[in-house]
């Protein structure tokens, strides 16, 4: 696979928006938040690029209550780039970068039927909690954790 994984740049707002639209059919988190990502998370947002085309991104953030803990907030790969290793690489590289800055455990939330659960399990995550209506009615989620 010939690709680049690089840190996010301020000018990536349209690319991040495109990924959200392509993957979720809408901007799951609002435009304002997407716009702020390169400003707030320059060290924990990675972009996958192939031949000048943006394939996907991953986003992490350190927990505000526990500096040793980080959340994987998003891993999203455009449909035409899926099943080629981008999601795994974006997740692994994000965790490596955050581990190098002191993170000792990662947490994320994921929908019960999402195939991404298998990816996270293979990367060492396990279920720690199930929260019905986590994101409002019908928005059930598993919390998964991986300790370094
Ligand atoms: C989840 C997602 C990021 C995975 O990205 P991807 O580039 O397709 O994944 P990869 O090609 O790196 O595959 C990684 C592993 O997951 C497996 N996998 C990927 N998609 C799968 C699917 N639909 N069903 C079963 N396994 C799948 C692959 O077989 C691979 O396994 P391996 O490590 O044993 O080789 C991508 O499908 C996506 O953007 N989904 C929509 C957004 C989303 O739900 N994100 C997660 C939110 S918590």
């Amino acid at each position: 696979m010939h690709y680049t994984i690089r840190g996010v740049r301020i000018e990536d707002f349209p690319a991040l928006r495109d990924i959200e639209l392509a993957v979720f059919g809408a901007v799951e988190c609002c435009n304002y938040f997407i716009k702020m990502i390169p400003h707030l998370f320059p060290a924990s947002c990675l972009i996958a690029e192939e031949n000048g085309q943006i394939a996907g991104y991953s986003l992490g953030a350190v927990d505000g209550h526990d500096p040793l803990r980080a959340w994987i907030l998003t891993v999203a790969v455009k449909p035409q780039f899926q099943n080629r290793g981008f999601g795994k690489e974006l997740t692994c590289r994000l965790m490596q970068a955050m581990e190098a800055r002191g993170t000792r455990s990662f947490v994320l939330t994921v929908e019960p039927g999402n195939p991404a659960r298998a990816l996270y399990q293979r990367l060492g995550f396990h279920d720690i909690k199930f929260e019905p209506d986590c994101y409002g009615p019908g928005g059930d989620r598993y919390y998964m954790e991986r300790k370094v």
Side-chain angles (χ1 to χ4, degrees):
M1 184 161 65
H2 299 286
Y3 63 87
T4 310
I5 305 277
R6 61 164 175 83
V8 72
R9 300 177 190 136
I10 301 292
E11 61 270 23
D12 283 324
F13 168 66
L16 292 171
R17 210 173 163 277
D18 279 357
I19 300 168
E20 287 282 309
L21 290 171
V23 171
F24 300 107
V27 178
E28 272 279 290
C29 40
C30 67
N31 281 317
Y32 180 74
F33 183 73
I34 295 279
K35 182 80 180 176
M36 288 300 118
I37 287 175
H39 295 278
L40 296 174
F41 307 105
S44 59
C45 179
L46 297 178
I47 303 274
E49 233 177 2
E50 186 181 57
N51 301 324
Q53 284 189 291
I54 305 283
Y57 82 110
S58 56
L59 173 65
V62 174
D63 189 292
H65 300 273
D66 180 354
L68 300 180
R69 191 178 213 217
W71 291 82
I72 307 274
L73 298 178
T74 306
V75 183
V77 175
K78 286 183 179 175
Q80 66 269 37
F81 291 96
Q82 287 181 7
N83 297 311
R84 292 179 46 207
F86 284 108
K88 189 176 179 180
E89 192 68 13
L90 280 164
T91 312
C92 289
R93 295 278 288 270
L94 176 64
M95 291 196 291
Q96 281 166 14
M98 299 196 83
E99 281 174 37
R101 290 171 166 264
T103 296
R104 287 293 165 264
S105 71
F106 294 93
V107 255
L108 56 82
T109 63
V110 60
E111 229 175 330
N114 192 329
R117 271 171 63 67
L119 164 63
Y120 297 136
Q121 276 160 357
R122 255 175 256 140
L123 293 179
F125 284 84
H126 63 275
D127 295 342
I128 50 168
K129 181 171 128 179
F130 177 74
E131 186 177 336
D133 301 332
C134 174
Y135 293 111
D140 303 350
R141 292 293 186 276
Y142 279 102
Y143 286 69
M144 300 181 81
E145 182 182 48
R146 173 184 166 263
K147 290 190 195 297
V148 173

